[in-house]
Amino acid sequence: MKKQQFEIEYLFKASATIIYSFLTTPACLVRWFCDEADIENDTYTFMWKDSEETAELVDDFEDELLRFRWEDAVEDKEYLEFILETAPITEETILKIVGWAYPVDYNFTIEFWNNQMKNLKKAMGEAY
């Protein structure tokens, strides 16, 4: 069974710079994404109570784009990407998440990111 790509967007009142820092610094990552985070060069290790995931940062355009490749990715085209854009009318920041999930896990994955974005907004002091 092949993974399929998903793409979801979230609106934030915070600037791209603030959101970028919450995606790239261990002290901020532990506030919304994982229990512990370690960054060594371009290798990010995310730790939770019962598991650990490692990803390589393959693209980094400050305040615009982050692309990670999970260590256990089956295919080279599988990645997790965060894209930061400004909404033209409202000037809010759009955080677009692009990733891959098995069809049977698709709904779970979307719900996971919905919950994580609630956690991120809360960590940044935004109402959700």
Side-chain angles (χ1 to χ4, degrees), residues 4-87:
Q4 64 185 43
Q5 186 178 38
F6 67 86
E7 186 174 307
I8 44 182
E9 293 183 357
Y10 302 92
L11 282 176
F12 287 83
K13 295 175 186 154
S15 70
T17 301
I18 291 170
I19 297 168
Y20 179 86
S21 70
F22 272 83
L23 299 173
T24 59
T25 58
C28 291
L29 284 163
V30 299
R31 293 177 60 192
W32 71 275
F33 185 66
C34 56
D35 296 329
E36 292 181 52
D38 183 49
I39 302 170
E40 189 172 318
N41 298 319
D42 288 335
T43 302
Y44 283 59
T45 304
F46 306 102
M47 293 155 271
W48 295 271
K49 183 173 57 171
D50 297 327
S51 65
E52 179 176 303
E53 296 285 334
T54 301
E56 179 186 359
L57 181 62
V58 293
D59 284 315
D60 182 2
F61 298 97
E62 191 169 344
D63 299 347
E64 293 179 17
L65 178 134
L66 291 164
R67 181 181 280 190
F68 293 94
R69 184 171 190 297
W70 293 107
E71 183 179 72
D72 62 353
V74 177
E75 295 186 31
D76 286 340
K77 69 177 184 177
E78 291 177 25
Y79 56 85
L80 174 64
E81 188 172 72
F82 297 99
I83 302 165
L84 296 160
E85 300 172 341
T86 302

